[in-house]
Amino acid sequence: MDAFDLSRRVAAEALGTGILVATVVGSGIMAETLTKDVALALLCNTLPTGAILVVLITVLGPISGAHFNPAVTLVFTGKRELPANEAALYVIAQIAGGIAGTIAAHLMFGLPLLDLSTKVRTGGPQWFAEAVAAFGLVATILAGIRFQRTAVPWLVGLYITAAYWFTASTSFANPAVAIARSLTNTFSGIRPADLPGFILAELCGAFAGMLLMNWLLGRSHASVSVAITERPR
């Protein structure tokens, strides 16, 4: 990331989030067009999303870190790996890119540029599901970076593919994507009135994931002492 200036990193975040949302919304529209089977439509929505995450993180990760998600950006700010002023620009770019992604998907399918969703997604189980989804995403990213950095694109893509199915909310796990999805009255939409609950749950889950992984991945004083005393002389 140090090789790229801030303007390029911010642009990469906007581009990546935009393509991600275009994939989520566009594949949802395509699925609705091709089948009335909700389970099959969800599968058709899931596979492109997981696949595009692998691509986007692989090609844009070296530029910006490939957050594409305000919750992830705030985690790295909390870990003091991204300054707050840069994080703010990342978040703005992610939200703007996500909205552009919704517009792009609508243009491809001949729909109004923006169309507020009427799909209800609210209540305790949905909020808890979003917290779990964001928790797992952050845990996957942080552990992946620690142990297998080159596998992170696949780890994230596979995690989201699974989380689409094991969470009641279908795993938005991303405030910028949630905002963008509130602007499409299609398969992947969410009613704007339901955004606050989703976003708060996502941020809480991400923060909890950061706290746990900071402890879990941290080396204890005892293990450090052992490593020092056992170092070959």
Side-chain angles (χ1 to χ4, degrees), residues 75-195:
V75 163
F76 282 102
T77 300
K79 290 172 65 63
R80 299 182 180 180
E81 295 181 18
L82 185 70
N85 63 319
E86 295 186 7
L89 292 175
Y90 267 43
V91 171
I92 292 170
Q94 290 156 0
I95 294 172
I99 294 171
T102 294
I103 293 172
H106 284 186
L107 282 171
M108 288 189 286
F109 288 92
L111 299 176
L113 294 185
L114 296 173
D115 189 10
L116 295 182
S117 177
T118 59
K119 190 163 189 174
V120 178
R121 298 180 189 262
T122 190
Q126 292 270 315
W127 299 332
F128 180 65
E130 274 305 285
V132 169
F135 175 93
L137 175 61
V138 167
T140 298
I141 292 169
L142 295 182
I145 289 172
R146 172 71 178 275
F147 299 121
Q148 198 68 42
R149 182 179 288 268
T150 58
V152 169
W154 286 98
L155 294 174
V156 173
L158 289 171
Y159 173 78
I160 292 297
T161 299
Y164 253 80
W165 287 86
F166 78 74
T167 63
S169 61
T170 66
S171 184
F172 286 46
N174 185 330
V177 169
I179 291 169
R181 289 171 67 166
S182 74
L183 301 174
T184 179
N185 194 25
T186 59
F187 181 80
S188 61
I190 175 175
R191 191 175 58 170
D194 299 334
L195 283 177

Side-chain angles (χ1 to χ4, degrees), residues 166-231:
F166 78 74
T167 63
S169 61
T170 66
S171 184
F172 286 46
N174 185 330
V177 169
I179 291 169
R181 289 171 67 166
S182 74
L183 301 174
T184 179
N185 194 25
T186 59
F187 181 80
S188 61
I190 175 175
R191 191 175 58 170
D194 299 334
L195 283 177
F198 262 56
I199 292 173
L200 180 60
E202 290 157 1
L203 294 176
C204 288
F207 183 67
M210 180 188 74
L211 290 179
L212 177 64
M213 298 311 289
N214 281 349
W215 172 78
L216 191 61
L217 299 176
R219 300 182 67 184
S220 68
H221 294 302
S223 66
V224 171
S225 298
V226 170
I228 293 174
T229 57
E230 293 183 351
R231 186 179 299 162

